């Protein structure tokens, strides 16, 4: 099984492994609070923040309502600038298009800026299988590529990897350097990676990046980074390929500004990321640098089926990661447990949308509906509502586990019959109350193993409120 | 049917879109909320630009007129213990200056560039951001390959926020292949979740604000 | 001037009805002290949230119709639970998106339904209670009450008037305790991790009493504290506000 094959259906087993993994637990303890605090600070420093979120939501809603028009207009602008747009319906088509371009220019090495869409298509494995070496240049992506892993966070892909692990990884991989070199300082590790990747930037014939936005007004693709790796990946090779999905469109430069104003604040708490680059077409005749070819691969992979569905609002997502940074479930288990490309609340909605509810159906169930994701989402995506919609789809398809379905049926039978309900609860609570009264709770209870494995079950006081009320007030 | 047609057809099942609404949207201009921090004027705007650039770990010095740039540049290189060499584009403003003993070469960025100098078209006071237009005068690689990146910016080109920046950008008729918005030197927190400056791009960013 | 007496229906909630009737009586006392005439309609069972959150939309609507019918005719419906109140306020109208008549009835009920502490402060204008409790308490913000209904300052304001009570804020009081209704039995391992963290924060606040506005969260936290031998008691916030703390705390044995 390759790193990119979905493992979402093993969610429960993945969770057990993640909870037992000391490194993941260590990483989660330090990162989550860090992101949360920085975002809160950025929000508090910006009185207009919530109004900007409303505007950002409206911008994307307008785009989604007019998506075919915007895609055509965007495409025309890219062509005007001398670029090429390739429409791909499936991940496989997108991978093949990249390969076709690479083969045509005789490319042996492909440098990659950070692109989650390429994780969706499994581009790295595909290129490797076809004799082309993909090199991840984002530092976090580089680390996990060396480890043969997938990202565990959409903006901090190596967040689960500890410093000692990176130390060992670099010694095992960068074997041209003395084994006993001093890597005590974090800065020495950074310098080492910088030196090695700096050389690689000049070796690749093709650079692949993602896009944070595609601007219909100008035909520009926009990437937002802090490291500068995306820019080196797209400026130095002969060919730049932008891998982007349909919903990345924004109408105008002014709309791009609205999105930028909420993006970095939500993601890292920065007011602006370090590099925000707007690119259009290949280098001009008079340009001394930049790629000679500029291609945009416009991938659908299920998005067009989400438009008009109860999951359409998910297409507003700008991949800031705020939902997972604030999600107590993500913070407990980390990103790999989710088993595919997108973790956390946004992944819990996207995964079943993109690879099917049979594979990803557990993810929208693994939420307490605490609502923190929706509270912080810069695009005001109703994530809990959509997770609930997935649960309803599973229920309709009878994918809900039999025991849960049966339990729900029994409970509903009584809940809909107040007289019977009253008698049954009264009898049950009388028994439970008597049994548990002395100790106050139960260390084990039949049918409640999930609860009592980890905590006591508090005993009822004995006698229901409604029975006592009826006795006191003579009933009504 | 081509992938293009298949995708568009699926999307059109839920409506082909309203061309009038799309045109009206573009014509409406910047109607979103305007943050107060991106609406400052006069000296307060410049002060805010400097403050925000510093928050983003850039350094800033103000110089009186472009003629003072070579001397200021030489002083900065000395202070940073850097060799007196500099890589620039063929920007006429930079070309016209007398660089004295400074070893200035023109061209694209090479694999190791201790110091590069670019010229920014505009600054944004809102976030301390520089806006650079790529082209023969301003190779894009100089922005990313310099160990220390120096940027010259005219004080009069510091705009308050995105709204007037885009307006000025359009008015100047700029359509470069890339617009690079730069806010501080490059950084990464991918090792040990500890922020370090100088990931792949510059370790330091210095702005000469030219009055 | 005391508030005008109003006819209020108490939505007891299934957990309070079954596990801790004393919360219902504490709520009753607070409402009556504030001048309300309180009834507990006999046809009530559950708000239907377990079905709604399990994706069983048909059962949810069946139960919601029953609740809507039982609680029509009251000026206000009040529940000692932010979670159940939020189901009525936020979810019922959504359940009937395609049934205009029921939707109107659901919206009418939603407009009259309140979580108890915010009802006391925001609707009845109660600003202090006549109660005492010698304890250092910490307050957990249950998710639905906090995010769906904006319950945050209200319980703290009233707790500040309880004689002898010191309120000590815990770290991450707004982070979920891991109960989540059926979540805690569907995903016990994650739930356990969350309640472990919560218990540590409660302990870190130096509290001997943890308070919240939802019995589900309280049973979860109390169960964890008791399993790990922590001497922290758990009570619903209305028990303290009503001065009814002579009963054993949640999960505490009777001497």
């Amino acid at each position: 099984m390759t790193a990119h094959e979905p493992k979402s259906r093993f969610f429960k087993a993945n969770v057990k492994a993640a909870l037992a993994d000391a490194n993941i637990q260590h990483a989660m303890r330090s990162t989550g609070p860090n992101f949360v605090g920085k975002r809160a600070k950025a929000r508090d420093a910006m009185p207009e923040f919530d109004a900007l979120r409303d505007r950002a939501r409206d911008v994307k809603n307008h785009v989604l309502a007019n998506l075919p028009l915007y895609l055509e207009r965007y495409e025309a602008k890219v062509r005007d600038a001398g670029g090429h747009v390739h429409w791909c319906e499936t991940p496989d088509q997108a991978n093949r298009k990249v390969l076709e371009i690479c083969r045509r220019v005789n490319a042996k090495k492909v440098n990659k800026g950070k692109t989650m869409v390429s994780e969706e298509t499994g581009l790295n494995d595909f290129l490797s299988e076809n004799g082309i070496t993909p090199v991840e240049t984002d530092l976090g992506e580089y680390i996990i590529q060396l480890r043969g892993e997938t990202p565990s966070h959409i903006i901090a892909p190596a967040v689960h990897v500890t410093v000692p692990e990176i130390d060992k990884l670099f010694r095992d991989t960068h074997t041209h350097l003395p084994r006993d070199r001093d890597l005590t300082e974090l800065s020495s590790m950074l310098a080492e990676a910088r030196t090695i990747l700096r050389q690689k930037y000049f070796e690749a014939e093709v650079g692949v990046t993602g896009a944070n936005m595609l601007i219909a007004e100008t035909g520009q693709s926009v990437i937002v980074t802090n490291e500068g790796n995306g820019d080196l990946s797209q400026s130095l090779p002969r060919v730049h390929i932008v891998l982007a999905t349909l919903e990345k469109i924004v109408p105008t430069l002014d709309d791009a500004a609205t999105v930028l104003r909420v993006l970095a604040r939500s993601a890292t708490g920065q007011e602006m990321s370090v590099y925000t680059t707007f690119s259009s077409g290949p280098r001009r005749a008079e340009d001394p640098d930049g790629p000679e070819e500029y291609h945009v691969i416009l991938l659908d992979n299920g998005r067009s089926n989400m438009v008009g569905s109860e999951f359409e609002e998910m297409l507003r997502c700008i991949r800031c990661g705020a939902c997972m940074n604030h999600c107590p479930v993500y913070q407990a288990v980390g990103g790999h447990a989710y088993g595919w490309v997108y973790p956390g609340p946004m992944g819990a909605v996207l995964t079943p949308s993109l690879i099917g509810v049979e594979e990803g159906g557990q993810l929208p169930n693994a939420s307490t509906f605490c609502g923190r994701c929706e509270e912080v989402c810069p695009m005001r995506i109703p994530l809990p509502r959509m997770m609930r919609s997935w649960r309803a789809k599973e229920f309709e398809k009878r994918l809900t586990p039999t025991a849960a379905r049966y339990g729900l049926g029994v409970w509903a039978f009584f809940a809909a019959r107040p007289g019977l309900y009253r008698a049954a609860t009264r009898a049950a609570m009388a028994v439970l109350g008597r049994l548990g009264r002395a100790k106050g709770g139960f260390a084990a209870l039949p049918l409640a193993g999930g609860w009592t494995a980890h905590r006591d079950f508090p005993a009822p006081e004995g006698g229901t409120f409604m029975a006592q009320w009826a006795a006191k007030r003579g009933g009504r | 049917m081509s992938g293009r047609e298949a995708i568009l057809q699926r999307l059109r099942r839920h409506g082909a879109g309203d061309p009038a609404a799309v045109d009206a949207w573009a014509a409406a201009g910047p109607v979103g909320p305007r943050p107060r921090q991106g609406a400052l004027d006069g000296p307060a705007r410049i002060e805010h630009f400097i403050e925000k650039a510093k928050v983003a770990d850039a350094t800033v010095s103000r110089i009186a007129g472009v003629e003072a740039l070579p001397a200021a540049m030489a002083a900065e290189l000395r202070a940073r213990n850097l060799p007196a060499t500099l890589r620039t584009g063929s920007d006429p403003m930079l070309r016209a200056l007398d660089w004295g003993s400074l070893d200035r070469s023109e061209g694209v960025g090479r694999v190791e560039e201790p110091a590069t100098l670019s010229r920014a078209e505009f600054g944004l006071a809102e976030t301390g951001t520089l806006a650079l237009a790529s082209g023969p005068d301003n190779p894009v690689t100089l922005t990313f390959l310099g160990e220390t990146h120096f940027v010259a910016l005219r004080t009069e080109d510091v705009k308050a926020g995105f709204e007037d920046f885009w307006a000025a950008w359009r008015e100047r008729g700029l359509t470069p292949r890339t617009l690079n918005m730069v806010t501080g030197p490059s950084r990464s927190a991918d090792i040990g979740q500890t922020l370090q400056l100088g990931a792949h791009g510059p370790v330091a960013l210095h702005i000469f604000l030219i009055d | 001037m005391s508030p005008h007496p109003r006819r209020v229906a108490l939505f007891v909630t299934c957990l309070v009805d079954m596990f801790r009737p004393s919360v219902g009586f504490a709520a009753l006392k607070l409402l009556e002290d504030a001048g309300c005439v309180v009834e507990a309609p006999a046809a009530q069972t559950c708000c239907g949230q377990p079905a709604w959150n399990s994706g069983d939309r048909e059962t949810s609507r069946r139960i919601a119709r029953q609740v809507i019918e039982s609680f029509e005719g009251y000026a206000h419906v009040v529940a000692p639970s932010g979670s159940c109140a939020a189901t009525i306020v936020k979810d019922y109208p959504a359940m009937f998106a395609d049934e205009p008549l029921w939707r109107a009835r659901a919206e009418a009920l939603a407009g009259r339904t309140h979580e108890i502490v915010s009802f006391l402060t925001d609707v009845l204008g109660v600003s202090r209670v006549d109660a005492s409790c010698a304890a250092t308490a910490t307050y957990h913000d249950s998710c639905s009450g906090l995010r769906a209904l904006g319950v945050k300052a209200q319980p703290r304001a009233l707790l500040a008037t309880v004689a002898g009570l010191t309120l000590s804020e815990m770290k991450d009081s707004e982070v979920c305790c891991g109960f989540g209704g059926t979540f805690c039995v569907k995903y016990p391992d994650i739930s356990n991790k969350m309640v472990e963290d919560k218990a540590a924060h409660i302990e870190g606040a130096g509290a001997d009493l943890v308070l919240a506005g939802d019995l589900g969260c309280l049973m979860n936290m109390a169960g964890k504290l008791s399993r790990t031998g922590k001497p922290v008691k758990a009570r619903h916030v209305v028990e303290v506000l009503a001065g009814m703390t002579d009963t054993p705390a949640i999960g505490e044995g009777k001497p």
Side-chain angles (χ1 to χ4, degrees):
Chain A
M1 188 187 288
T2 71
H4 288 83
E5 270 177 54
K7 300 172 195 69
S8 302
R9 63 191 180 285
F10 308 123
F11 180 72
K12 283 194 174 178
N14 302 344
V15 161
K16 272 206 189 306
L19 288 169
D21 187 321
N23 288 339
I24 292 179
Q25 293 303 319
H26 172 82
M28 289 297 124
R29 267 195 304 280
S30 55
T31 36
N34 197 7
F35 278 125
V36 168
K38 285 179 174 171
R39 176 202 173 266
K41 213 174 142 198
R43 174 207 62 201
D44 293 345
M46 179 78 148
E48 302 85 358
F49 189 63
D50 283 342
L52 284 161
R53 291 168 70 195
D54 290 340
R55 175 67 184 171
R57 174 199 59 204
D58 296 347
V59 167
K60 278 287 190 179
N61 283 349
H62 165 76
V63 169
L64 293 171
N66 297 282
L67 194 52
L69 283 177
Y70 274 118
L71 286 168
E72 288 173 316
R73 291 188 182 202
Y74 165 76
E75 179 189 39
K77 287 288 179 186
V78 174
R79 292 218 170 118
D80 288 350
H84 307 272
V85 178
H86 312 280
W87 302 64
C88 295
E89 293 182 78
T90 65
D92 188 53
Q93 287 174 11
N95 287 344
R96 286 183 190 287
K97 181 52 76 176
V98 174
L99 181 64
E100 182 192 313
I101 296 168
C102 288
R103 290 245 160 100
R104 186 169 47 71
V105 300
N106 214 3
K108 298 281 179 289
K109 287 183 179 170
V110 170
N111 277 357
K112 291 181 66 206
K114 196 165 153 22
T115 142
M116 290 307 291
V117 175
S118 80
E119 300 288 343
E120 244 179 76
T121 68
L123 179 61
N124 286 1
D125 290 344
F126 180 82
L127 288 177
S128 300
E129 285 159 17
N130 285 282
I132 291 171
T133 309
V135 177
E136 294 286 354
T137 61
D138 172 274
L139 188 55
E141 293 278 355
Y142 176 68
I143 289 167
I144 61 164
Q145 188 187 22
L146 294 182
R147 286 167 59 94
E149 287 181 326
T150 53
S152 69
H153 188 289
I154 59 172
I155 67 160
V159 69
H160 59 285
V161 189
T162 61
V163 172
E165 288 177 301
I166 299 173
D167 180 302
K168 180 169 186 311
L169 181 71
F170 279 11
R171 287 183 207 282
D172 291 348
T173 315
H174 303 156
T175 48
H176 62 289
L177 297 168
R179 179 94 202 169
D180 58 353
R181 65 195 180 278
D182 185 9
L183 288 176
T184 336
E185 298 294 322
L186 296 186
S187 57
S188 53
M189 286 193 219
L190 179 68
E192 183 169 311
R194 178 187 166 97
T195 308
I196 285 167
L197 284 166
R198 179 60 67 95
Q199 200 57 46
K200 291 186 190 289
Y201 285 122
F202 286 83
E203 293 168 359
E205 299 87 356
V206 172
V208 175
T209 69
N212 292 79
M213 288 181 275
L214 304 173
I215 302 180
E217 175 191 358
T218 56
Q220 291 160 314
S221 55
V222 181
I223 59 168
V224 177
T225 75
N226 275 325
E227 297 186 2
N229 65 301
D231 288 279
L232 288 167
S233 299
Q234 71 177 39
S235 302
L236 289 167
R238 276 183 53 208
V239 178
H240 176 200
I241 301 175
V242 180
L243 193 50
T245 45
L246 308 179
E247 79 281 12
K248 293 291 170 197
I249 295 271
V250 297
T252 67
L253 291 169
D254 292 301
D255 297 323
T258 300
V259 172
L260 290 172
R261 277 170 170 159
V262 296
L263 173 59
R265 286 179 171 90
S266 301
T268 56
Q270 288 167 285
E271 294 192 304
M272 274 284 273
S273 299
V274 176
Y275 302 113
T276 303
T277 300
F278 297 67
S279 306
S280 52
R283 69 160 76 174
R284 314 281 162 75
E286 66 279 15
D287 280 341
D289 52 12
E292 291 158 27
E293 292 181 28
Y294 175 86
H295 299 266
V296 178
I297 292 179
L298 210 46
L299 175 65
D300 182 344
N301 194 23
R303 269 78 171 176
S304 58
N305 287 324
M306 290 170 72
V307 172
S309 80
E310 55 195 315
F311 304 105
E312 176 175 308
E313 289 178 271
M314 193 62 225
L315 297 175
R316 291 204 299 263
C317 178
I318 54 173
R319 308 290 190 264
C320 69
C323 60
M324 58 198 74
N325 294 338
H326 289 78
C327 175
V329 173
Y330 175 92
Q331 292 302 323
V333 301
H336 284 157
Y338 290 79
W340 196 55
V341 177
Y342 301 108
M346 54 83 76
V349 176
L350 261 186
T351 305
S353 303
L354 299 185
I355 60 172
V357 70
E358 286 79 5
E359 173 71 45
Q362 286 210 48
L363 309 187
N365 280 285
S367 163
T368 63
F369 285 153
C370 79
R372 229 177 155 205
C373 49
E374 181 175 2
E375 183 180 48
V376 299
C377 175
M379 307 306 286
R380 298 203 185 277
I381 298 171
L383 291 153
R385 206 256 303 137
M386 288 190 287
M387 286 188 241
R388 192 184 286 112
S389 291
W390 274 121
R391 295 183 191 186
K393 287 208 178 297
E394 289 183 281
F395 195 86
E396 285 157 19
K397 285 190 172 184
R398 303 197 148 261
L399 292 170
T400 310
T402 317
R405 211 178 169 90
Y406 180 74
L408 200 62
V410 171
W411 164 83
F413 175 85
F414 283 102
R417 292 168 179 79
L420 276 181
Y421 179 91
R422 205 97 298 138
T425 51
R426 191 174 172 178
M429 293 310 123
V431 173
L432 270 184
R434 250 194 321 279
L435 290 175
R437 194 163 301 158
K439 281 188 174 169
F442 301 91
L445 263 188
L447 300 175
W451 179 289
T452 52
H454 301 296
R455 39 180 127 40
D456 295 339
F457 190 85
E461 289 178 324
T464 64
F465 175 87
M466 293 306 284
Q468 294 181 40
W469 165 271
K472 282 185 187 170
R473 306 270 168 127
R476 284 185 61 90
Chain B
M1 184 166 39
S2 73
R4 181 182 190 277
E5 279 318 301
I7 291 168
L8 288 172
Q9 217 170 72
R10 272 198 298 276
L11 290 173
R12 287 187 189 121
R13 283 181 314 197
H14 305 285
D18 175 1
V22 166
D23 290 338
W25 186 278
V31 295
R34 181 165 193 178
R36 216 174 32 211
Q37 73 180 56
L40 297 169
D41 242 326
R45 178 194 295 182
I46 306 303
E47 285 313 309
H48 196 258
F49 172 80
I50 294 170
E51 183 195 321
K52 288 294 175 186
K54 286 179 177 170
V55 167
D57 301 296
T59 49
V60 184
S61 57
R62 292 185 79 157
I63 57 176
V66 69
E67 302 73 25
L69 184 56
M73 184 78 235
E76 280 294 336
L77 290 173
R78 266 196 311 278
R80 290 161 191 266
N81 237 348
L82 290 170
T85 57
L86 188 62
R87 188 78 162 171
T88 77
S90 54
D91 190 284
M93 180 186 97
L94 302 181
R95 256 188 189 174
L97 296 171
D98 176 7
W99 291 91
S101 61
L102 243 172
D103 175 15
R104 185 184 73 94
S105 66
E106 287 184 4
V108 301
R110 296 155 302 184
V111 68
E112 294 294 343
E113 295 288 359
T116 56
L117 172 65
S118 310
R119 197 168 68 77
E121 288 288 340
F122 294 105
L124 274 80
E126 179 175 346
T127 48
T129 299
L130 301 162
L132 299 96
S134 71
D137 298 350
N138 229 21
V140 66
T141 43
L142 296 186
T143 295
F144 298 96
L145 290 169
E147 183 96 2
T148 298
H149 186 210
F150 295 91
V151 178
L153 169 68
R154 290 184 186 276
T155 309
E156 67 199 41
D157 288 331
V158 175
K159 301 297 164 189
F162 273 103
E163 287 81 1
D164 38 351
F165 160 64
W166 289 131
W169 180 265
R170 290 180 179 116
E171 195 183 311
R172 207 170 270 187
L174 294 168
T175 53
R177 191 186 70 80
T178 59
L179 154 62
N180 297 99
M181 304 194 82
V182 178
T183 314
S186 100
R187 67 201 59 201
S188 172
D190 281 336
I191 298 177
Q193 287 80 55
T194 305
L195 191 68
Q196 301 188 72
L197 296 183
H200 297 288
V203 178
L205 172 70
H206 183 83
I207 303 167
F208 293 110
L209 207 47
I210 303 167
D211 289 327
Chain C
M1 200 178 81
S2 68
H4 187 72
R6 285 170 188 272
R7 195 161 167 254
V8 169
L10 185 64
F11 185 75
V12 183
T13 78
C14 52
L15 288 181
V16 166
D17 179 42
M18 288 193 283
F19 290 98
R20 203 158 172 82
S22 56
V23 171
F25 289 107
L28 184 66
K29 177 177 187 297
L30 286 166
L31 290 168
E32 290 183 342
D33 285 355
C36 299
V37 177
V38 184
E39 291 171 42
Q44 60 178 296
T45 58
C46 169
C47 64
Q49 190 191 111
W52 180 241
N53 283 348
S54 299
D56 184 353
R57 290 173 172 172
E58 200 34 62
T59 301
S60 318
R61 279 191 280 266
R62 199 161 73 234
I63 294 172
R65 284 191 199 100
Q66 179 181 301
V67 172
I68 291 168
E69 282 173 341
S70 309
F71 286 87
E72 267 167 352
Y74 296 92
H76 299 286
V77 177
V78 176
S81 158
S83 178
C84 309
T87 296
I88 298 176
V89 172
K90 301 286 179 184
D91 295 336
Y92 278 16
M95 285 179 197
F96 298 107
D98 302 327
E99 296 175 59
L101 290 179
W102 276 103
R103 181 173 175 114
R105 291 174 81 179
E107 279 174 350
L109 177 63
R112 291 183 284 115
T113 300
H114 308 271
E115 176 278 334
I116 181 150
V117 181
S118 53
F119 178 71
L120 291 171
T121 57
D122 302 352
V123 178
L124 299 180
V126 173
S127 59
R128 54 184 312 106
V129 292
D130 182 19
S132 68
C133 177
T136 299
T138 192
Y139 185 86
H140 164 73
D141 294 287
S142 291
C143 301
S144 298
L146 173 71
R147 298 196 180 85
L149 303 175
V151 178
K152 171 85 184 172
Q154 302 93 328
R156 289 174 173 79
L158 292 187
L159 286 170
T161 69
V162 173
L165 190 81
T166 309
L167 199 60
S168 168
E169 290 291 339
M170 73 175 97
K171 182 172 173 259
D172 289 346
S173 71
E174 294 190 357
V175 174
C176 180
C177 71
F179 173 62
T182 55
F183 173 85
C184 66
V185 286
K186 278 195 296 185
Y187 297 96
D189 299 328
I190 310 175
S191 175
N192 177 51
K193 169 77 172 75
M194 290 163 69
V195 74
E196 254 174 25
D197 290 350
K198 183 56 72 175
H201 295 328
I202 292 168
E203 212 188 351
D208 49 39
L209 177 64
V210 57
L211 302 173
D214 267 285
L215 192 53
C217 315
L218 283 161
M219 288 171 70
N220 181 39
M221 294 185 288
K224 190 70 198 178
L225 291 164
S226 137
R227 172 65 58 91
T228 49
K230 298 288 186 296
V232 183
K233 293 176 182 177
R235 288 188 187 277
H236 195 289
V237 63
V238 297
E239 297 175 45
V240 172
L241 295 178
M244 292 165 68
T245 49
D246 46 346
T247 53
I250 297 166
E252 189 183 31
K254 279 186 188 163

